[in-house]
């Protein structure tokens, strides 16, 4: 009997050991197995590192369509972690976003241009005891995208781009384009330039580049509204991208994240050792050369559009999140700070390069993080 009991005990211990080994193997497969296992683990880690604090309710925002794809990715991660918050970002354009903010319709706005003095004044009506400030959050190259059958690589410089969008160069086999592309088979085809129909920070930054680098060929004052005559127009970056995709001979300006699915992107001859194509790294290099020109808590930047640094892509914008420094609404302040804190974090900035945006350089984003903590 004693021997039987010992045998039963040995069998039980053996079964437990096998069970434990299987459990450890299963845990190991979660860490090192399939892509699905890895993504679930990453999502859990991401959710755990996002501070929700007392965030709850609905957070309304509007503005830049340039950052819409980045905002969508951020909202997905943030709301998975903070399931008591809904973030509704319309992406109606920078002009619409600033207007909505100064009218008190949204908790924050996205704009590809810093607030103008009159917009700061208007913001004081909704920011009790404070004013609207610019927080640089998303960098992005503005790609000059084209659709020309048989042309896979295209180099242009600032004067040529200005003449194309100003209607002075009207055909793809123009001598100026041939000179920059001696090996390309340029067709005898009419150029169809596309621009934004709505007020847009993308337009503002694109034309700032032309003003800074090709003033004699771009005799306009600039701004969010398109000023040159002629050409085709479409609403939003997505609309411009769609128009270019559907039209052989078309060219337009848009954020790199929209320049996909059959569109080519122009390499810019900046005077650097080689022409520079739009890229996240190239945009970050350009932003790193920017100056902070805002005062107080405002972190508006001045970009050097005329940069000739190797690898720096000159047609680059910065999208700002515009928020009250003081006087934010009590019911949305916790959610606003929590969301902005996340998108300015190393984790939030870290996803940008993978979706064709540019992270804000460390020295600048550090100031943004400090400012967010002081919002009231």
């Amino acid at each position: 009997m004693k021997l039987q009991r010992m045998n039963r005990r040995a069998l039980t211990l053996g079964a437990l050991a096998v069970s434990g080994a299987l459990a450890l193997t299963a845990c190991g497969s979660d860490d090192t197995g399939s892509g699905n296992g890895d993504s679930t683990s990453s999502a859990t880690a991401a959710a755990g590192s996002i501070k929700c604090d007392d965030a709850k309710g609905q957070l309304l925002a509007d503005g830049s369509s340039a950052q819409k794809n980045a905002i969508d990715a951020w909202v997905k991660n943030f709301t998975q972690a903070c399931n008591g918050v809904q973030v509704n970002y319309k992406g109606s354009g920078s002009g619409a976003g600033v207007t909505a903010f100064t009218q008190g319709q949204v908790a924050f706005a996205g704009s590809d241009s810093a607030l103008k003095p009159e917009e700061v004044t208007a913001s004081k009506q909704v920011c009790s005891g404070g004013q609207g400030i610019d927080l640089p959050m998303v960098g992005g190259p503005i790609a000059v995208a084209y659709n020309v059958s048989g042309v896979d690589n295209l180099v242009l410089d600032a004067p040529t781009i200005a003449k194309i969008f100003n209607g002075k160069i009207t055909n793809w086999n123009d001598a100026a384009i041939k000179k920059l592309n001696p090996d390309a088979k340029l067709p005898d085809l009419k150029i169809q330039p596309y621009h934004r129909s709505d007020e847009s920070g993308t337009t503002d930054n694109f034309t700032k580049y032309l003003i800074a680098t090709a003033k004699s060929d771009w005799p306009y004052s600039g701004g969010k509204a398109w000023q040159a005559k002629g050409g085709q127009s479409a609403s939003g970056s997505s609309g411009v991208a769609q128009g270019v995709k559907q039209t052989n001979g078309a060219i337009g300006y848009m954020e790199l994240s929209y320049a996909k699915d059959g569109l080519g992107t122009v390499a810019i001859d900046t005077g650097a050792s080689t022409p520079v194509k739009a890229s996240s790294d190239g945009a970050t290099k350009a932003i790193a050369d920017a100056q902070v020109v805002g005062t107080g808590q405002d972190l508006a930047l001045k970009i050097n559009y005329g940069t000739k640094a190797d690898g720096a892509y000159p047609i680059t914008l910065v999208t700002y999140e515009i928020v009250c420094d003081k006087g934010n609404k009590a019911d949305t302040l916790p959610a606003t700070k929590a969301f902005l804190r996340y998108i300015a974090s190393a984790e939030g900035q870290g996803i940008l390069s993978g979706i064709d945006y540019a992270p804000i350089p460390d020295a600048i984003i550090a100031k943004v993080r400090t400012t967010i903590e002081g919002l009231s």
Side-chain angles (χ1 to χ4, degrees):
M1 290 294 292
K2 184 175 180 181
L3 181 61
Q4 288 177 337
R5 284 196 299 271
M6 290 176 65
N7 287 339
R8 282 198 300 269
R9 184 181 180 192
L11 287 170
T12 301
L13 291 172
L16 288 171
V18 171
S19 175
L22 289 171
L24 288 171
T25 303
C27 291
S29 67
D30 284 343
D31 290 337
T32 60
S34 69
N36 290 338
D38 287 346
S39 63
T40 301
S41 176
S42 298
T44 303
S49 63
I50 296 174
K51 296 180 181 179
C52 304
D53 293 338
D54 298 322
K56 60 184 178 181
Q58 189 175 49
L59 195 60
L60 298 179
D62 195 4
S64 165
S65 65
Q67 70 168 355
K68 183 68 166 60
N69 292 338
I71 289 285
D72 287 347
W74 281 330
V75 167
K76 181 179 179 181
N77 290 345
F78 181 77
T79 53
Q80 282 178 347
C82 306
N83 54 23
V85 184
Q86 287 183 315
V87 182
N88 184 351
Y89 182 83
K90 287 184 180 180
S92 302
S94 296
V98 172
T99 298
F101 178 75
T102 57
Q103 292 179 351
Q105 298 171 358
V106 294
F108 71 91
S111 177
D112 308 320
S113 300
L115 289 169
K116 296 177 180 178
E118 61 270 24
E119 292 168 340
V120 173
T121 299
S123 73
K124 293 178 180 180
Q125 300 299 313
V126 296
C127 302
S128 180
Q131 65 180 49
I133 56 172
D134 302 287
L135 302 179
M137 200 70 74
V138 184
I142 301 173
V144 181
Y146 67 95
N147 176 10
V148 182
S149 296
V151 179
D152 297 325
N153 295 290
L154 185 67
V155 175
L156 297 175
D157 59 14
T160 308
I161 293 170
K163 290 173 185 174
I164 287 172
F165 282 90
N166 198 27
K168 302 302 181 183
I169 292 178
T170 58
N171 203 285
W172 280 108
N173 64 357
D174 187 275
I177 302 177
K178 283 184 175 180
K179 184 177 180 180
L180 291 163
N181 299 273
D183 298 325
K185 294 182 179 179
L186 297 165
D188 182 6
L189 178 67
K190 181 181 178 182
I191 298 174
Q192 302 274 7
Y194 272 80
H195 61 265
R196 289 281 289 269
S197 60
D198 53 324
E199 287 201 356
S200 161
T202 311
T203 294
D204 191 16
N205 284 273
F206 178 63
T207 56
K208 279 179 180 175
Y209 163 73
L210 296 178
I211 291 167
T213 56
K215 180 62 178 174
S216 61
D217 298 304
W218 193 256
Y220 304 103
S221 60
K224 293 178 184 176
W226 184 256
Q227 296 173 325
K229 306 297 182 184
Q232 309 292 327
S233 66
S235 178
S237 295
S238 58
V240 172
Q242 190 62 29
V244 176
K245 286 176 188 177
Q246 293 174 346
T247 309
N248 187 28
I251 187 169
Y253 58 92
M254 66 201 71
E255 292 69 40
L256 181 59
S257 61
Y258 291 92
K260 295 183 179 297
D261 303 328
L263 292 182
T265 57
V266 170
I268 308 297
D269 183 348
T270 63
S273 59
T274 56
V276 186
K277 270 202 160 190
S279 70
S280 296
D281 287 346
T284 297
K285 286 179 181 178
I287 297 168
D289 196 28
Q291 293 179 319
V292 176
V293 293
T295 57
Q297 297 299 308
D298 189 275
L299 295 174
L301 301 175
K302 182 179 180 180
I303 294 175
N304 178 13
Y305 295 103
T307 180
K308 295 182 180 180
D310 284 344
Y313 184 76
I315 319 178
T316 294
L317 61 76
V318 170
T319 299
Y320 302 94
E321 310 312 331
I322 295 171
V323 66
C324 295
D325 57 354
K326 298 177 183 177
N328 289 278
K329 294 179 181 177
D331 58 339
T332 58
L333 178 60
T336 299
K337 288 183 71 170
F339 183 66
L340 294 180
R341 180 186 295 122
Y342 161 60
I343 68 178
S345 69
E347 178 187 318
Q349 290 289 300
I351 72 172
L352 292 177
S353 295
I355 51 176
D356 295 321
Y357 291 97
I360 300 298
D362 291 344
I364 298 172
I365 202 66
K367 295 178 181 178
V368 172
R369 292 167 186 156
T370 300
T371 302
I372 290 170
E373 295 308 318
L375 298 179
S376 62

